Amino acid sequence: KMVTRAVAALSRFTIRARCILFAARSHVNCEIKGDVAVIRISDPNSKVNTLSLQMQKEMTEVMDEVWGNSAIKCVVMISSKPGCFIAGADINMIQACKSTEEVTRLSQEGQKIFEKIEKSPKPIVAAINGSCLGGGLEFAIACQYRVATKSKTTVLGTPEVMLGLLPGAGGTQRLPKMIGLPNAFDMMLTGRNIRADKAKKMGLVHQLVDTLGPGLKSPEERTIEYLEEVAIDCARGIVNKKLALTKEMNMMQKIQDHVMSYSFVQNRIYSTVEKKVLKQTKGLYPAPMKIIECVKAGMEQGPDAGYLAESQNFGKLAMTPESKALVGLYHGQVACKKNRFGVPEKEVKTLAILGAGLIGAGIAQVTVEKSINTILKDITEEALNQGQHQVYKGLNDKTKKKSITSFERDSILSNLTGQLDYSGFEKADMVIEAVFEDLAIKHKVLKEVEAVIPPNCVFASNTAALAIKDIAAASKRPEKVVGMHYFSPVDKMQLLEIITTDKTSKDTTASAVALGLKQGKVVIVVGDGPGFYTTRCLAPMLAEAVRVLQEGVDPKKLDSLTTGFGFPVGAATLADKLGIDVAAHMAENLGKAFGSRFGGGNLELLKTMVAKGFKGRKSGKGFYVYQSGLKDINPELKEIVESYNMMPTPAVSSDSDVQYRLISRFVNEAVLCLQEGILTNPVEGDIGAVFGLGFPPFLGGPFRFVDNFGADKLVEKMKTFEEVFGNQFTPCQLLLDHAKDPSRKFHRLIH
Amino acid sequence: MEVDRLLGSGKLGKPFWGGNTCAEFKVQLLWLPFSSSKSKKTLSKTGVKNIVLVDGVRTPFLQSGTTYADLMPHDLARTALQGLLNRTGIPKDAVDYIIYGTVIQEVKTSNVAREAALGAGFSDRIPAHTVTMACISSNQAMTTAVGMIAAGQCDAVVAGGVEFMSDVPIRHSRKMRKTMLSLNKAKTLGARLALLGSIRPAHLAPELPAVAEFSTEETMGHSADRLAAAFGVSRREQDEYALRSHSLAKRAQDEGLLSDVVGFKVPGKDIVSKDNGIRPSSMEQMAKLKPAFVKPHGTVTAANSSYLTDGASAVLIMSEEKALALGYKPKAYLRDFVYVSQDPKDQLLLGPSYATPKVLERSGLKLADIDVFEFHEAFAGQILSNLKAMDSDWFAKTYMGRTSKVGSPPLDKFNLWGGSLSLGHPFGATGCRLVTTVAHRLKKEGGQYGLVAACAAGGQGHAMVIEAYPQ
């Protein structure tokens, strides 16, 4: 018995040794464990695995060897990277293509590889730990069996739609069959990530494996090993017919499947989904409709037609400006998740926030979630109570959605201290003030705070419009003063705009950026000036919106014009959300700073509204009336607007003209910010506009918009408007430069 | 030599016996007395009172739902107290204080120590309180007693533990409770009817207590399975260990070594005098069981886990002077003890690994100095994981901030009279059983130092060093 074991061990050793000899490959490695081939994926040059050309080449080689080796009965496919199975196709690979045909070919090659995987005579078990997205998911669902860890990092999804693409390697064909039309559409059209437990329920994976804690190795390492052990058992179980590949369905599922098999039911689904998509995208995003088209082709005309439609549409989509804009945003977002100011000398371990209002409490929530001690200070118990409740509610909602346990919620909340005095500020590494937007008040708190904080503590001001240097004027240490402009609601809005003055030290900036990134924000860093970047772009657009209202367009129409252009929220609704008082305050301040360029609409209109108590959403009335979840046009608005009535000029008042009047003022101001050095680069400009202000994502941001639309065409339009309205539409010099020379682009051309 | 080899030289990873049948195993487990020529120093410290275990008893541990099914927890505790009175013959008024440990509380007798003491015939002038610390509740009762004596507040304390799983509080749902409580306050018939009318079928679903962590919502068996996987403990190793526990317990029972058990005349039923959960099976039988928690690939099964048990225990603890003054020959000194706690999710059951090196350090002992180990066996996988953790330098350095491993207890000194897996595990009562067993084994085996260690829900743990009383 002993001898046989020794021989077995020896032969295993030699096989392993042989395998290592083979492994001149860098991305894919194969270990043969008896009758199981364990294929391990790891891209040596990246934190994540992508289906790059190299990966595909090595995978094909390895699979050919596996299929050719009669000693191998089954296969386990696993990543040796913690936290990532395969994160998707290599975006650069798609970007490198110059034509629709080239991308289509890429898709077809992927389809072919996965078809071979699907038809493998030897069962392949995908062992999934970490992100399994896009092409990675398509790979996994081509395998015969899927085992996934319950880790929080394990997510499955098809995010292609967010890049203006579709799952182009069989996803549109396999997913509907595997999880049914409704679930497949949900996944492919929203691009959302599915957690492992949900994936199991949906039938996307067959088995779940627990994550492991400390043992004789690190938890991450041992969890992957354990996943592999379980996957090997599964693979052998399939070979021995001990494990069924099709899950037994319960009665409900059987009925559902039966109902779904009728073509009229399917057609009903298609039309419902199409309607919903059109309503949400306003027809501005081509990818969702193409996804529906591919699914339909496969279901109605069979796999050949389905796969062909998929590869061709993938090719077409990759060449659309929408996809390029979205891919650009993706890259921009990645760039804005890095700290270009380096590692700060001191990590923020205690943060103090002044003002427990919406913003202050929102900042508190995203901070405590990262286990940073957070002091939330206000001056009245009532305000403090409300702020603390907001943090609790934000976390409790997560508990209700089961993304955190009640215990985790409590433990997160224990990082929060609510108080009315300055005790504990001597330990603060950073203070963010989110008090009322009034320079005198800001000066008052700055002085109070500087009297109690340690010398290395950063003072950050959350303001939407006040210049940071004016606030810093009251400081004893202006190098420690920085602006941090959060967007409301802070826990939902991804952007953080950081404002530096010429006195702000590099370490102060690094510290602010580091905190923002830790809070999960996409961070842009801009120069100081009235309205910085985001507010400054928004103000002229809102001024124009007011003028449009004065010209007799009602708020609903205004909203539909703006959302029709691709903004997620209409201009009137946005102003209500922002607060009419805030908008008026902002318009007045910026009007003083920039003069008539920021004119257009009559500021008095907003002021009258405020005087009547129409402060927007928060007061229940603004442009709209908000009552029990419904919103209707404020009936008293008409009277106010009429008193500021303006005659529209027909030549510049078509729907399209109105849209371009709004957008061109936004874009021109953005370009001017780059010209004046408020912005360091166009990437941050695009990211700021899209993530902070809802600039239409499919346009990729104001700079990408100018590149694609043509600076010359935009200038032409602006000049027409200029003739009627004056300097509010005077194109800035940089825009004129671009108009003059069509080869000048803000972004490097992506073919 | 043969026995040494078979009981294992303490090295894990290899099975400690070659998977022989149980019968063979039993034959080979002949008792070999250890040489009693130990002459180690005493752990007595100047300025610290010597505290002794006079004696300890327990009721037979029965699987829940069997002969004790119709009793209440204080009945079991009372029986243990009476047994202790009988065994020691201590005058009822010579006890200064009574402390009991329990986990799942019967709401009617939440201070079960007091209810049991009154029924056991102790003077009603002896104060009693109840403590709870999951599976180390009676350890906490004992160390509380030690603390009281050390502080000079008491001279003689009875500590014990009780658990009664045949009946557990099953509550109405929160919504139903709220409605019922409002009903009390409703003044008018109309208000009452309105409240009654608001009851929906969902209100009627009861709330069952679960052996699950409140903080993580994970059941302990599930955590044990993950722990075993983390340490690479196989199903076979676990089954082998469980079989060892049952085989050793059976042998101890047959040889009459479990002398701490006192018979119990259950009202209306027979006299119970033996633990009833000892069931040495075979590897083949055990292999047939499906995993109980992690399905389908888990390794923890009903056969390699401890089971729900009814039982109570009690010990008499005194200062050495008092014991001698009353004419007792104490069984052992209770020396240093520690409590530890760690992450309740991933290190829920690793208490012994953390507690062992800490308590040894306090006592100035090495693992090799210990003659008798009694570890609480929650799950075979948990015991084996702890043994591996204690034998790992990497674990010691990475998670415990120690320079090196403490070492794994040799199996020929480890739980030789069975353990919680086989004898049963009434949560609140196990600690006293461990301590009494150490005292009895030290005497029987001629050892000087014993070590008790246990894990507990909440990610807590405990260890205590016990020194044999000079013969």
Side-chain angles (χ1 to χ4, degrees):
Chain A
K1 202 172 176 186
M2 204 54 199
V3 177
T4 52
R5 199 177 299 167
V7 169
L10 203 64
S11 63
R12 217 176 304 141
F13 175 74
T14 50
I15 290 171
R16 196 174 301 176
R18 202 156 17 122
C19 222
I20 288 163
L21 280 182
F22 274 139
R25 287 183 280 259
S26 55
H27 289 55
V28 181
N29 153 300
C30 169
E31 184 186 344
I32 296 166
K33 290 187 165 178
D35 55 349
V36 188
V38 178
I39 297 176
R40 299 197 183 90
I41 316 161
S42 184
D43 184 335
N45 309 315
S46 166
K47 262 198 241 170
V48 295
N49 294 321
T50 52
L51 289 173
S52 59
L53 289 173
Q54 183 65 21
M55 183 78 83
Q56 290 181 28
K57 179 176 153 277
E58 292 186 16
M59 183 60 72
T60 311
E61 279 172 26
V62 169
M63 284 314 297
D64 284 341
E65 281 167 28
V66 164
W67 283 316
N69 183 342
S70 61
I72 297 171
K73 299 277 178 276
C74 49
V75 183
V76 165
M77 197 71 71
I78 193 167
S79 157
S80 39
K81 272 190 204 304
C84 180
F85 177 69
I86 299 172
D90 181 355
I91 297 180
N92 298 327
M93 178 175 81
I94 299 166
Q95 281 189 325
C97 294
K98 293 184 178 60
S99 69
T100 305
E101 293 69 32
E102 215 177 312
V103 183
T104 298
R105 227 172 298 130
L106 216 53
S107 161
Q108 281 165 344
E109 277 157 25
Q111 289 178 346
K112 237 178 271 166
I113 297 176
F114 292 164
E115 190 191 358
K116 279 180 85 177
I117 297 278
E118 185 178 39
K119 296 197 171 141
S120 168
K122 303 177 180 184
I124 304 171
V125 175
I128 303 161
N129 179 52
S131 47
C132 173
L133 301 171
L137 180 87
E138 294 179 288
F139 190 176
I141 60 173
C143 295
Q144 281 68 33
Y145 201 84
R146 282 160 296 284
V147 186
T149 64
K150 290 183 197 165
S151 161
K152 275 190 176 172
T153 62
T154 299
V155 286
L156 297 91
T158 47
E160 289 89 343
V161 71
M162 297 201 269
L163 299 177
L165 299 169
L166 55 76
T172 65
Q173 305 303 301
R174 286 192 188 91
L175 261 187
K177 286 191 186 132
M178 185 170 289
I179 57 174
L181 275 181
N183 275 337
F185 276 137
D186 179 52
M187 275 184 78
M188 291 192 286
L189 296 176
T190 64
R192 69 194 176 95
N193 286 342
I194 311 280
R195 286 200 303 251
D197 50 347
K198 179 83 197 298
K200 169 96 194 308
K201 275 188 200 138
M202 286 166 63
L204 201 53
V205 300
H206 296 83
Q207 239 187 78
L208 296 182
V209 172
D210 287 291
T211 54
L212 301 180
L216 299 177
K217 290 176 179 169
S218 81
E220 294 76 24
E221 194 183 346
R222 178 64 195 138
T223 298
I224 294 177
E225 257 181 32
Y226 180 51
L227 171 67
E228 184 179 308
E229 288 163 18
V230 172
I232 288 175
D233 279 351
C234 290
R236 291 200 172 120
I238 298 168
V239 173
N240 303 334
K241 307 241 181 304
K242 279 185 184 158
L243 200 62
L245 283 177
T246 46
K247 217 189 125 208
E248 275 208 22
M249 288 191 286
N250 62 30
M251 195 45 111
M252 206 49 216
Q253 286 165 317
K254 277 183 192 163
I255 293 171
Q256 218 171 15
D257 269 28
H258 185 70
V259 172
M260 291 289 175
S261 66
Y262 290 107
S263 60
F264 71 85
V265 177
Q266 289 176 10
N267 284 331
R268 190 61 198 272
I269 294 175
Y270 296 137
S271 68
T272 315
V273 172
E274 274 167 9
K275 256 186 233 150
K276 215 171 153 185
V277 164
L278 275 179
K279 199 180 158 203
Q280 281 177 1
T281 64
K282 318 263 177 210
L284 298 170
Y285 294 80
M289 295 309 276
K290 291 285 183 206
I291 289 171
I292 302 172
E293 195 182 308
C294 294
V295 172
K296 227 169 158 177
M299 297 292 271
E300 287 172 357
Q301 302 158 46
D304 287 348
Y307 282 104
L308 186 65
E310 183 184 90
S311 61
Q312 287 179 342
N313 281 328
F314 187 71
K316 282 181 203 157
L317 285 175
M319 289 298 136
T320 57
E322 290 85 359
S323 173
K324 286 180 175 164
L326 292 167
V327 170
L329 279 180
Y330 168 77
H331 286 305
Q333 202 183 354
V334 171
C336 292
K337 288 266 181 192
K338 289 185 186 136
N339 192 343
R340 62 180 157 97
F341 297 87
V343 181
E345 275 168 37
K346 201 160 181 294
E347 192 190 352
V348 174
K349 289 191 174 141
T350 300
L351 175 74
I353 300 162
L354 301 176
L358 273 180
I359 293 264
I363 301 170
Q365 184 189 330
V366 297
T367 313
V368 289
E369 279 176 336
K370 303 298 169 196
S371 302
I372 298 170
N373 286 325
T374 306
I375 298 172
L376 185 61
K377 182 199 173 303
D378 207 302
I379 45 172
T380 70
E381 202 165 291
E382 196 192 345
L384 182 61
N385 182 37
Q386 211 166 14
Q388 282 181 299
H389 181 73
Q390 186 188 324
V391 180
Y392 173 81
K393 194 174 170 294
L395 294 169
N396 196 41
D397 286 349
K398 290 192 174 187
T399 303
K400 281 186 189 157
K401 282 189 210 143
K402 297 206 168 158
S403 67
I404 57 171
T405 66
S406 63
F407 181 79
E408 283 166 328
R409 174 200 65 202
D410 298 345
S411 149
I412 291 169
L413 267 175
S414 71
N415 294 313
L416 182 71
T417 318
Q419 60 190 48
L420 299 170
D421 59 16
Y422 282 108
S423 61
F425 273 58
E426 70 280 0
K427 287 192 199 113
D429 301 304
M430 186 183 291
V431 176
I432 300 177
E433 66 78 13
V435 301
F436 190 69
E437 293 268 44
D438 179 288
L439 195 59
I441 297 178
K442 302 250 183 207
H443 280 169
K444 181 173 170 279
V445 297
L446 173 68
K447 282 179 190 153
E448 281 175 14
V449 165
E450 282 192 349
V452 288
I453 53 174
N456 53 7
C457 179
V458 171
F459 182 91
S461 196
N462 175 80
T463 168
L466 295 176
I468 302 301
K469 62 174 183 301
D470 295 343
I471 296 172
S475 171
K476 286 185 285 187
R477 348 154 293 162
E479 72 283 359
K480 287 281 174 195
V481 179
V482 69
M484 289 174 90
H485 178 200
Y486 288 86
F487 293 75
S488 191
V490 179
D491 59 325
K492 302 266 160 30
M493 296 292 284
Q494 279 184 284
L495 190 72
L496 169 63
E497 182 181 31
I498 288 176
I499 305 103
T500 59
T501 69
D502 43 14
K503 286 190 183 145
T504 308
S505 75
K506 190 180 161 222
D507 187 60
T508 299
T509 312
S511 185
V513 175
L515 180 72
L517 293 178
K518 200 159 185 197
Q519 290 166 333
K521 299 290 163 206
V522 173
V523 181
I524 63 169
V525 180
V526 304
D528 193 21
F532 328 121
Y533 169 62
T534 52
T535 310
R536 188 170 152 185
C537 291
L538 186 63
M541 188 172 100
L542 284 184
E544 194 59 29
V546 171
R547 170 153 58 198
V548 170
L549 289 169
Q550 285 174 268
E551 287 175 355
V553 173
D554 74 39
K556 267 194 183 159
K557 172 79 180 170
L558 174 63
D559 273 357
S560 86
L561 287 175
T562 21
T563 55
F565 200 78
F567 278 90
V569 177
T573 307
L574 181 69
D576 269 2
K577 267 178 131 176
L578 199 68
I580 304 297
D581 52 340
V582 176
H585 195 246
M586 183 177 90
E588 187 165 24
N589 273 341
L590 294 181
K592 273 183 205 154
F594 294 109
S596 57
R597 192 172 84 238
F598 272 54
N602 192 336
L603 182 60
E604 291 307 313
L605 188 151
L606 296 180
K607 284 188 170 172
T608 311
M609 284 177 73
V610 175
K612 292 213 165 197
F614 305 154
K615 292 185 184 172
R617 188 80 217 237
K618 59 191 168 192
S619 66
K621 275 182 185 177
F623 289 118
Y624 293 95
V625 179
Y626 300 86
Q627 240 167 9
S628 53
L630 293 169
K631 74 173 191 191
D632 251 314
I633 294 180
N634 185 351
E636 294 164 80
L637 183 69
K638 206 168 178 190
E639 199 187 320
I640 304 174
V641 172
E642 268 167 11
S643 60
Y644 296 102
N645 193 15
M646 277 164 86
M647 277 306 286
T649 313
V652 289
S653 299
S654 73
D655 284 358
S656 161
D657 284 333
V658 170
Q659 286 176 326
Y660 279 103
R661 273 161 58 189
L662 292 164
I663 202 84
S664 61
R665 288 190 67 179
F666 186 121
V667 170
N668 185 49
E669 204 58 39
V671 177
L672 190 55
C673 283
L674 183 64
Q675 181 185 314
E676 289 178 359
I678 295 283
L679 281 175
T680 318
N681 56 58
V683 172
E684 288 188 316
D686 280 347
I687 293 295
V690 172
F691 288 94
L693 305 172
F695 191 91
F698 75 95
L699 297 176
F703 295 94
R704 176 93 46 196
F705 169 74
V706 173
D707 281 355
N708 282 344
F709 186 77
D712 47 349
K713 274 167 70 188
L714 185 65
V715 166
E716 197 183 317
K717 275 194 186 291
M718 287 184 77
K719 292 218 160 132
T720 324
F721 302 146
E722 192 183 10
E723 274 172 34
V724 181
F725 300 111
N727 71 339
Q728 290 134 22
F729 287 95
T730 309
C732 70
Q733 190 55 47
L734 187 56
L735 194 57
L736 288 172
D737 293 348
H738 276 241
K740 231 178 276 165
D741 179 359
S743 71
R744 277 190 76 170
K745 298 280 180 191
F746 290 111
H747 291 284
R748 233 175 343 114
L749 259 190
I750 320 168
H751 309 291
Chain B
M1 272 319 286
E2 181 69 358
V3 171
D4 260 331
R5 194 180 64 79
L6 281 162
L7 284 175
S9 50
K11 298 216 172 58
L12 270 163
K14 305 170 214 157
F16 33 81
W17 85 86
N20 304 4
T21 66
C22 206
E24 275 174 275
F25 177 63
K26 261 189 288 175
V27 174
Q28 286 158 340
L29 276 175
L30 292 168
W31 175 250
L32 261 190
F34 289 85
S35 64
S36 53
S37 60
K38 296 230 163 88
S39 54
K40 296 171 188 166
K41 62 177 170 45
T42 172
L43 295 176
S44 172
K45 288 179 195 165
T46 48
V48 177
K49 237 181 223 179
N50 281 330
I51 293 165
V52 296
L53 172 78
V54 175
D55 211 337
V57 298
R58 64 181 176 94
T59 69
F61 287 176
L62 300 191
Q63 290 173 304
S64 66
T66 60
T67 315
Y68 296 152
D70 297 329
L71 300 176
M72 282 182 70
H74 70 284
D75 294 325
L76 287 175
R78 193 184 65 229
T79 305
L81 287 173
Q82 277 172 333
L84 189 68
L85 281 174
N86 294 340
R87 181 75 54 95
T88 58
I90 187 166
K92 283 173 183 171
D93 54 1
V95 172
D96 301 318
Y97 206 92
I98 297 170
I99 311 166
Y100 251 75
T102 197
V103 180
I104 309 239
Q105 288 189 335
E106 162 61 55
V107 286
K108 289 179 191 162
T109 59
S110 59
N111 187 3
V112 69
R114 179 66 173 158
E115 312 302 341
L118 287 172
F122 276 98
S123 155
D124 60 7
R125 301 294 174 92
I126 304 174
H129 81 263
T130 302
V131 293
T132 189
M133 200 173 180
C135 303
I136 49 178
S137 293
S138 61
N139 306 76
Q140 184 54 259
M142 289 183 288
T143 55
T144 303
V146 168
M148 285 174 146
I149 296 168
Q153 303 304 308
C154 295
D155 288 315
V157 180
V158 170
V162 59
E163 205 65 42
F164 187 66
M165 297 302 288
S166 289
D167 182 32
V168 293
I170 296 171
R171 302 200 294 180
H172 272 299
S173 67
R174 180 80 189 246
K175 278 180 185 156
M176 188 67 180
R177 289 182 341 243
K178 198 175 171 188
T179 312
M180 291 163 89
L181 288 170
S182 312
L183 211 53
N184 281 340
K185 289 178 198 147
K187 295 270 189 309
T188 66
L189 182 67
R192 279 189 210 124
L193 286 176
L195 275 170
L196 286 172
S198 73
I199 296 172
R200 298 280 167 274
H203 287 42
L204 299 173
E207 255 179 40
L208 296 160
V211 187
E213 284 296 299
F214 181 72
S215 61
T216 63
E217 294 171 5
E218 187 182 26
T219 62
M220 196 179 266
H222 196 277
S223 190
D225 205 315
R226 288 196 302 116
L227 185 71
F231 281 93
V233 179
S234 70
R235 166 77 182 266
R236 189 179 172 80
E237 283 174 284
Q238 293 177 49
D239 285 354
E240 278 169 352
Y241 184 85
L243 186 53
R244 171 193 193 265
S245 179
H246 280 279
S247 307
L248 291 172
K250 182 76 171 69
R251 193 183 54 117
Q253 192 177 54
D254 290 349
E255 290 180 7
L257 298 173
L258 306 178
S259 60
D260 53 341
V261 177
V262 292
F264 183 5
K265 168 68 186 95
V266 180
K269 301 218 170 121
D270 293 338
I271 294 179
V272 182
S273 53
K274 274 178 159 184
D275 304 324
N276 75 355
I278 304 171
R279 39 178 182 166
S281 170
S282 68
M283 289 298 288
E284 293 71 34
Q285 283 297 324
M286 292 170 91
K288 284 183 191 159
L289 285 181
K290 288 202 168 131
F293 302 98
V294 175
K295 294 162 189 172
H297 50 263
T299 53
V300 173
T301 69
N304 60 37
S305 314
S306 55
Y307 48 89
L308 296 181
T309 312
D310 299 337
S313 55
V315 294
L316 179 58
I317 300 173
M318 290 189 189
S319 63
E320 187 178 19
E321 306 117 59
K322 176 80 173 181
L324 296 176
L326 287 172
Y328 286 114
K329 166 96 180 157
K331 291 200 161 164
Y333 290 110
L334 302 182
R335 298 297 192 191
D336 292 293
F337 61 84
V338 295
Y339 289 92
V340 293
S341 58
Q342 358 24 263
D343 168 23
K345 173 128 189 83
D346 288 333
Q347 304 197 37
L348 181 70
L349 304 171
L350 284 178
S353 299
Y354 283 84
T356 299
K358 217 170 156 184
V359 80
L360 289 176
E361 221 162 64
R362 280 184 79 92
S363 288
L365 296 177
K366 288 193 198 65
L367 195 83
D369 296 325
I370 302 295
D371 306 302
V372 164
F373 293 90
E374 282 293 328
F375 276 39
H376 161 50
E377 298 168 344
F379 300 88
Q382 163 261 332
I383 283 288
L384 295 170
S385 296
N386 273 287
L387 297 186
K388 289 195 179 193
M390 285 190 274
D391 206 26
S392 162
D393 278 324
W394 186 82
F395 188 87
K397 284 176 192 160
T398 314
Y399 292 103
M400 293 163 60
R402 306 188 71 85
T403 50
S404 63
K405 65 184 184 185
V406 64
S408 180
L411 281 169
D412 55 3
K413 297 177 179 174
F414 193 84
N415 292 12
L416 290 185
W417 295 358
S420 298
L421 286 173
S422 45
L423 300 169
H425 172 39
F427 308 139
T430 290
C432 291
R433 175 187 69 74
L434 295 173
V435 167
T436 307
T437 305
V438 166
H440 288 173
R441 275 185 59 200
L442 283 173
K443 200 168 170 204
K444 181 88 183 172
E445 297 169 17
Q448 191 175 359
Y449 303 130
L451 177 74
V452 161
C455 59
Q460 312 212 74
H462 165 75
M464 181 190 262
V465 170
I466 293 157
E467 184 181 350
Y469 201 80
Q471 299 293 312

